[in-house]
Amino acid sequence: MTAISTGAEGFLGRYAGLTGRLPGATLPAVAALREAAAATFRRTGFPTRRAEAWKYTDLNPVAQSAFHEPLTAVDGAVALPPETGAIRAVFVDGRFRDDLSALPAYAMPLALDPAAATRGIADAVLPMVALNTMLFEDGLVVDLAEGVDGGTLDLVSASDAHPTAFHPRHVIRLGAGASLLLIERNVSAAGIASLHNPVFEIDLGAGAKLTHLRLNTEAPEAFHVATIAVRCAADAVYDSFALNLGARITRNEMHVALNGTGAAAHLNGAQLLDGTRVCDTSTYLDHAAPGCASRQTYKSVLAGRSRGVFQGKILVRQIAQKTDGYQMNQALLLSDEAEMDAKPQLEIYADDVKCSHGATIGALDEEAMFFLRSRGIPMTEARALLVEAFVQDAIAQMPEEAARDAVRAVLTRAWKVAA
């Protein structure tokens, strides 16, 4: 295992050293994709706060860290989340672990089909997407045929006891009328400053439905920078919920295009942060067809000197009449030093639309706290109850009971920490 140098030059040097050895090296389309990405990353480097999209989040700690990127297969035991009984795809340091997985017939590792990464849903001009495209080694490919119910699939990403940087590429396609519950669980070894830079490319056919649950519980030293690109055909539904409890810096960037009449997107989430953690949720919803709906509800609970960021943009194109877009961001500050930055945006070119956005930032309700304390409930428990009640509204947005249960199971261990 060899350590790479810090900064953009270190990753570019890593790419140069892997010429001919990365998956798809012999496929012209994949090789061209990687070269174009390397040129982009060479030009842009890591995004800085001078860029409007990154004005609230500083990636200098990532750029200044040194990471390991082993090419050999990872062996041995690794700490994983509890078994759920679902079919499971496990990746350790970004590489598929067959011995820990049980893949369904409709899924396979990207390393066996690297050409799947050339579908072009994610914008390769984005610096972190360019970094991923340049260096991805593996990921999950899901291809559900028309009308198929894929059930529940666990996607587990873990890192071992080394400060690794890995860039998985997950490609998910649901045919017309297909459905899937994807539960993504991200974990990492305590005390290790790993970099997890995943890219999801999700293509939903007419009437398809994907419920995407993301549970981020990586170590406090870790970095998690995810880009999720979704394309929805007519009447397709993308229903997502992200729960963020870990990582030193988390960035969830979502680009959702509603390209067919009647398509819908539900982007919801909650984050419980303490210490000096930062979590940035940036969403970009493109209403590109008439009669589409979008709903966003994000809740942040911030303690210590932690910081939450919500940037939400809704674009309504001229053709997208009868658009219904809603966006709400709420934050609960448990400390005078905690900070929440909110930047909602509406860009509307159609005249027959219903769009709204809102943001609230406040502290715990003193009257509610007094009510609980007066009935003999200890301070810590009372605060935990109020925090739980605050977050439950976002959890309730998920239609699948299995998804709600998975979130609550993770949160059970987090209330007292947050309080």
Side-chain angles (χ1 to χ4, degrees), residues 56-57 271 278-282 307-311 340-342:
Y56 299 112
T57 301
Q271 53 199 31
V278 175
C279 183
D280 178 337
T281 298
S282 295
R307 187 157 58 88
V309 177
F310 176 77
Q311 300 183 98
M340 182 72 206
D341 297 304

Side-chain angles (χ1 to χ4, degrees), residues 158-380:
S159 63
D160 66 9
H162 302 280
T164 54
F166 48 101
H167 318 271
R169 188 71 159 238
H170 305 297
V171 182
I172 299 169
R173 189 194 72 83
L174 272 59
S179 61
L180 178 67
L181 169 57
L182 179 66
I183 301 181
E184 178 193 348
R185 305 172 191 270
N186 300 306
V187 298
S188 65
I192 303 300
S194 58
L195 168 62
H196 184 192
N197 176 37
V199 168
F200 285 79
E201 295 192 297
I202 299 171
D203 193 2
L204 304 181
K209 180 178 181 181
L210 175 65
T211 300
H212 186 186
L213 174 59
R214 310 188 70 234
L215 303 176
N216 297 328
T217 58
E218 290 157 311
E221 300 80 9
F223 305 106
H224 182 102
V225 184
T227 306
I228 301 169
V230 185
R231 186 167 60 194
C232 296
D235 297 316
V237 178
Y238 178 67
D239 199 334
S240 76
F241 185 93
L243 176 64
N244 301 294
L245 300 179
R248 177 180 173 184
I249 296 176
T250 300
R251 163 91 169 194
N252 294 314
E253 183 170 331
M254 308 186 70
H255 298 259
V256 182
L258 303 177
N259 292 334
T261 302
H266 308 140
L267 311 182
N268 305 306
Q271 53 199 31
L272 279 69
L273 308 178
D274 59 6
T276 58
R277 291 182 173 126
V278 175
C279 183
D280 178 337
T281 298
S282 295
T283 65
Y284 305 86
L285 266 163
D286 183 357
H287 285 259
C292 295
S294 63
R295 293 287 182 272
Q296 300 181 71
T297 301
Y298 284 95
K299 303 270 190 169
S300 300
V301 180
L302 308 173
R305 292 189 292 119
S306 63
R307 187 157 58 88
V309 177
F310 176 77
Q311 300 183 98
K313 180 175 181 179
I314 299 176
L315 169 63
V316 181
R317 299 181 184 272
Q318 187 173 10
I319 194 175
Q321 304 295 333
K322 305 295 183 182
T323 284
D324 184 359
Y326 170 82
Q327 180 188 98
M328 174 58 71
N329 166 55
Q330 296 177 310
L332 186 61
L333 305 185
L334 302 182
S335 164
D336 291 338
E337 295 182 292
E339 177 182 334
M340 182 72 206
D341 297 304
K343 189 179 74 172
Q345 295 174 273
L346 298 176
E347 187 174 339
I348 301 172
Y349 297 97
D351 52 15
D352 186 5
V353 304
K354 182 171 67 173
C355 291
S356 63
H357 63 72
T360 63
I361 301 172
L364 285 174
D365 188 326
E366 292 184 3
E367 291 187 4
M369 177 65 75
F370 176 79
F371 176 85
L372 294 173
R373 292 300 310 282
S374 67
R375 279 149 181 80
I377 299 175
M379 173 70 78
T380 300

